[in-house]
Amino acid sequence: MKPRRCLRRPACSNWRRMTRMAQEYEVFLGCAIPSRFNNYEASMRVIADELDIELLDFDGASCCGTVVLKSIDELSWLSMSGRNIALAEKRGHDIVTPCNGCFGSLKDCDHVLHDNESERKKVNKILSEVGLEYEGEARIRHFVEVLYDLKDEIADRIVNPLDGLKIAFHPGCHLIRPSTVAGFDDPELPRKVDELLELTGARSIPWNLKLRCCGSPLLISSEEVATEILKEKMSNAIESGANCIVTNCPACHTQFDVQVLGLEDEDGNSLELPALFVTQVLGVAMGIDSSKLGFELNRVQLDPIADILGL
Amino acid sequence: MTEAWGTLKSFAGKTFETLDPEFTDRVSQLIGGQDLTACFQCAKCSAGCPVSDKVNVQIHEVMRMLVLGLPEVLDTDMIWLCTTCYTCQERCPQGIDITDILFGLKNMAFQRNKAPQGYVSSRQQLYDTGKLYQPTDWEREDLGLEEVPHLELDETKKMFEKTGLLKLEEDD
């Protein structure tokens, strides 16, 4: 485990204590998951429960600001993300999020505020208005990072092997890039979440456009270009022999499970592919009751893989 | 080729009246900014860019426009069609934080009223509600999920008053 960055380290007395308490986090849900993908939250919570990961409520959480606010005004973005970090820090907790957008935004903000003294001063002046201060003590993690730490426990709990599931896994950009900020997996050849998925007996297939952006951030500026990118991705996933696409990000999932509906290639072939969250795949393989995993909220029909999933 | 954004569609026949060294300097001072002459135009950024084939002006051309001090860069479609995937930044052999620089350029374009409408309405939404989207409560109830924790809007609004979020445009 990489040591968390702490402005006070090595004088910080909390540092050692908090790395030992690694299985308790405030869970940062963001906006997209409670709005569109409550099945992701439900499946995350039931898995966390199985693995004794304690998810505490993130009182007072706002939007992370994400790339939207960063595009509009960086000081407002740093303040918004910085406030969320400072809230968890004040309560002495680390942060976990199941969203790549929130992960990227919070980590990126943390990176800037840690390294850039002039930005940190500006932001702390604004945070002082609401009684907060950023010191850089809260660690920010993606839920799949926490799961990867527990991969041996997960392997022991697989009771329902998913043989025949051919997954086009899409890690999403902000889980791995920029690697100096994300610090989770190889930015050009990620394998950690694939390893988790393959614990279930499923296969994470190679596909050329795996690391290509899903196009979702462009829905706000040009749905036309976002859809062109989505078509390229889906065609490649289907050509590569996948029978489902799996993500760990609600923004990417918006493309794969909402925007894709009714989408066809030039020859009129459907570009839909069952779209699942990492937590749903792991949950079903761990024998968790499928009603708790929220499959009824997946928009693209799951029929082609229903037998494999035991639905 | 999309017609979605930007008035600068092509370099063909275009004459640039001024080369503005102050603009280059301002960009160098952005978060992620640095000595922009480090870019030697290998175009590795554009080679990995998911919208290279969908924009009029590619990302390596944007980088050159910055060195040349051309504020017209804010009129290119690359500014708002960047997906923020960070592939260019990850691969730049000179270690230039290309995507982060592009965020700073978006800020500049926003201040000059050169932003897609979606960003303008998202700004208002973030100010008014502190969020981009609201929870779908019936789904949460069906799945036995608790209510999303409460956000005290006064706090985020107070911060945005300080940052001037609703008054970014230079004309204001």
Side-chain angles (χ1 to χ4, degrees):
Chain A
M1 188 185 296
K2 272 175 78 174
R4 56 199 295 250
R5 294 174 304 133
C6 172
L7 291 174
R8 289 202 201 136
R9 214 177 66 219
C12 169
S13 60
N14 273 343
W15 184 67
R16 212 168 259 288
R17 182 176 63 83
M18 293 188 66
T19 47
R20 275 206 305 273
M21 290 171 37
Q23 297 315 312
E24 183 184 270
Y25 302 91
E26 290 200 19
V27 60
F28 192 86
L29 299 170
C31 311
I33 292 172
S35 176
R36 285 194 289 271
F37 299 116
N38 288 295
N39 47 355
Y40 190 15
E41 182 181 340
S43 52
M44 168 188 72
R45 287 191 183 277
V46 67
I47 285 190
D49 205 35
E50 285 282 320
L51 297 171
D52 294 324
I53 304 163
E54 193 173 352
L55 299 178
L56 308 166
D57 282 347
F58 204 121
D59 285 323
S62 70
C63 173
C64 66
T66 188
V67 290
V68 174
L69 190 54
K70 187 177 178 183
S71 299
I72 296 169
D73 180 46
E74 288 183 308
L75 182 61
S76 296
W77 159 67
L78 287 170
S79 303
M80 197 172 211
S81 258
R83 175 182 164 277
N84 287 314
I85 298 171
L87 278 173
E89 176 175 311
K90 189 178 181 180
R91 298 186 285 244
H93 295 137
D94 288 338
I95 299 169
V96 72
T97 177
C99 171
N100 282 18
C102 301
F103 176 73
S105 183
L106 295 169
K107 288 277 278 198
D108 192 10
C109 172
D110 189 49
H111 182 78
V112 172
L113 295 185
H114 188 274
D115 290 356
N116 188 326
E117 198 185 340
S118 95
E119 294 297 328
R120 185 168 69 245
K121 278 185 180 158
K122 273 192 262 177
V123 168
N124 270 335
K125 197 167 173 219
I126 290 161
L127 290 180
S128 70
E129 295 281 327
V130 292
L132 292 170
E133 185 183 7
Y134 167 92
E135 289 190 66
E137 290 193 28
R139 191 165 56 146
I140 298 146
R141 309 193 77 198
H142 195 293
F143 189 66
V144 294
E145 267 188 288
V146 177
L147 290 180
Y148 189 74
D149 289 347
L150 299 172
K151 70 177 188 322
D152 293 341
E153 282 99 303
I154 294 170
D156 287 343
R157 284 166 188 264
I158 302 299
V159 293
N160 177 22
L162 304 179
D163 300 324
L165 199 64
K166 287 176 283 182
I167 296 172
F169 173 59
H170 171 78
C173 301
H174 299 147
L175 178 69
I176 50 176
R177 289 186 299 268
S179 54
T180 47
V181 170
F184 169 54
D185 204 346
D186 189 310
E188 298 284 1
L189 200 61
R191 56 176 178 82
K192 290 184 176 175
V193 182
D194 305 83
E195 279 178 38
L196 282 175
L197 291 169
E198 293 200 327
L199 294 175
T200 68
R203 194 166 155 252
S204 174
I205 62 146
W207 53 308
N208 291 341
L209 294 188
K210 177 174 178 169
L211 299 189
R212 170 72 61 85
C213 173
C214 67
S216 160
L218 295 184
L219 288 171
I220 187 173
S221 51
S222 171
E223 192 170 339
E224 177 198 336
V225 180
T227 302
E228 279 179 55
I229 294 175
L230 177 59
K231 280 184 174 177
E232 291 164 7
K233 287 277 294 193
M234 297 313 297
S235 296
N236 184 243
I238 291 167
E239 278 164 18
S240 305
N243 54 17
C244 65
I245 190 158
V246 173
T247 63
N248 40 240
C249 173
C252 308
H253 214 75
T254 301
Q255 288 283 72
F256 301 137
D257 201 32
V258 180
Q259 295 295 117
V260 76
L261 294 172
L263 211 60
E264 293 177 342
D265 66 12
E266 290 85 35
D267 302 323
N269 301 310
S270 171
L271 289 174
E272 292 179 10
L273 205 52
L276 305 167
F277 285 107
V278 167
T279 43
Q280 291 181 308
V281 175
L282 293 177
V284 83
M286 287 162 72
I288 294 167
D289 182 357
S290 62
S291 67
K292 293 182 180 170
L293 299 168
F295 284 111
E296 66 274 20
L297 292 180
N298 293 57
R299 276 92 162 166
V300 174
Q301 290 300 311
L302 299 178
D303 300 351
I305 54 167
D307 284 348
I308 301 173
L309 297 178
L311 300 179
Chain B
M1 205 66 73
T2 177
E3 295 302 312
W5 286 107
T7 52
L8 179 61
K9 304 291 186 195
S10 167
F11 293 117
K14 174 86 184 165
T15 48
F16 296 98
E17 288 184 7
T18 55
L19 303 179
D20 180 356
E22 279 178 26
F23 181 72
T24 306
D25 197 45
R26 272 186 69 193
V27 174
S28 303
Q29 305 301 320
L30 294 170
I31 296 173
Q34 62 170 85
D35 178 5
L36 297 167
T37 58
C39 169
F40 55 76
Q41 289 290 291
C42 69
K44 201 174 175 185
C45 48
S46 291
C49 174
V51 296
S52 270
D53 60 338
K54 301 172 182 67
V55 290
N56 295 303
V57 176
Q58 298 187 16
I59 184 63
H60 73 287
E61 295 172 319
V62 164
M63 296 308 290
R64 179 71 355 162
M65 289 180 81
L66 296 179
V67 175
L68 294 176
L70 299 174
E72 287 89 342
V73 72
L74 301 178
D75 296 320
T76 64
D77 51 1
M78 188 66 235
I79 300 292
W80 293 106
L81 292 182
C82 160
T83 68
T84 76
C85 76
Y86 281 97
T87 307
C88 55
Q89 181 159 324
E90 192 66 49
R91 293 182 181 176
C92 176
Q94 293 291 79
I96 301 174
D97 291 341
I98 303 171
T99 317
D100 284 328
I101 289 172
L102 215 45
F103 275 110
L105 296 178
K106 289 174 197 196
N107 282 198
M108 286 184 190
F110 195 98
Q111 287 160 18
R112 298 177 194 198
N113 290 302
K114 295 174 182 180
Q117 184 54 37
Y119 282 93
V120 180
S121 44
S122 291
R123 167 175 68 168
Q124 193 66 46
Q125 176 84 358
L126 285 168
Y127 179 83
D128 290 341
T129 70
K131 303 202 172 172
L132 280 175
Y133 319 105
Q134 297 306 311
T136 307
D137 290 328
W138 66 268
E139 281 187 7
R140 301 185 64 77
E141 281 168 27
D142 281 1
L143 287 165
L145 296 171
E146 309 263 327
E147 273 185 30
V148 172
H150 177 71
L151 164 66
E152 199 56 62
L153 276 176
D154 287 353
E155 285 196 21
T156 46
K157 283 187 176 168
K158 199 184 268 184
M159 291 197 315
F160 291 147
E161 295 298 334
K162 287 283 162 195
T163 64
L165 178 64
L166 295 184
K167 299 176 193 159
L168 296 169
E169 289 83 349
E170 284 171 354
D171 293 339
D172 284 5

